[in-house]
Amino acid sequence: MNTRRRTVLAAGAAGAAALATGCGSDGGNGGDDGDTSAAPTASAGAADSASPGASGGVELARTEDIPVGGGTVFKERKVVVTQPEEGEFRAFSAVCTHASCLVSTVSDGTINCPCHGSKYSITDAAVEAGPAPRPLPAERISVSGGAIRLT
């Protein structure tokens, strides 16, 4: 009986620790969702700060592939790149902040999640329609020579 009780308590403690670890993460920002208006932006004329060919990052697309006033979801990289205004490119995580589904489309000025209907602004990834609790995190990109790179 004592051995069984010890086993049950140990299993319960391990489960509680795993739950706290999985649910307690705040992404390292101390719980501050912050202002996403400072999301990294790349302009079509901007040069990559890293030397070309060195560690310029993974090329996602060409600038002409991202529609003005829209965007493209790169499911394999879990990134969405938008072009709110001509020559202004932004990138965000494609993982919905509600239930971790991948967003699937960009239309009518929003990045759209198919799971529960969350919508995010193409400009700063602010939540436009819930149930998402917070904006999509910004991703870093560079634009140089017509190439959009994830850095």
Side-chain angles (χ1 to χ4, degrees), residues 59-123:
E59 184 172 328
L60 292 172
R62 304 293 297 168
T63 55
E64 62 267 15
D65 297 334
I66 310 299
V68 176
T72 302
V73 178
F74 298 93
K75 291 182 180 183
E76 69 284 352
R77 296 282 179 192
K78 297 182 180 175
V79 171
V80 58
V81 176
T82 65
Q83 187 177 186
E85 295 181 29
E86 187 162 352
E88 178 186 323
F89 297 90
R90 297 192 179 238
F92 307 99
S93 168
V95 179
C96 180
T97 59
H98 171 244
S100 299
C101 297
L102 285 183
V103 297
S104 61
T105 61
V106 180
S107 61
D108 300 322
T110 61
I111 302 163
N112 310 303
C113 181
C115 293
H116 301 104
S118 291
K119 295 180 181 288
Y120 304 89
S121 167
I122 63 170
T123 303

Side-chain angles (χ1 to χ4, degrees), residues 6-7 14 16 23-24 29-30 36-37 39 43-44 51 65 69 74 81 85 88 103 107 109 132 134-135 137 143 151:
R6 211 174 318 152
T7 302
C23 294
N29 66 0
T36 59
S37 62
S43 298
S51 60
D65 297 334
F74 298 93
V81 176
E85 295 181 29
E88 178 186 323
V103 297
S107 61
R134 62 189 169 280
V143 179
T151 57

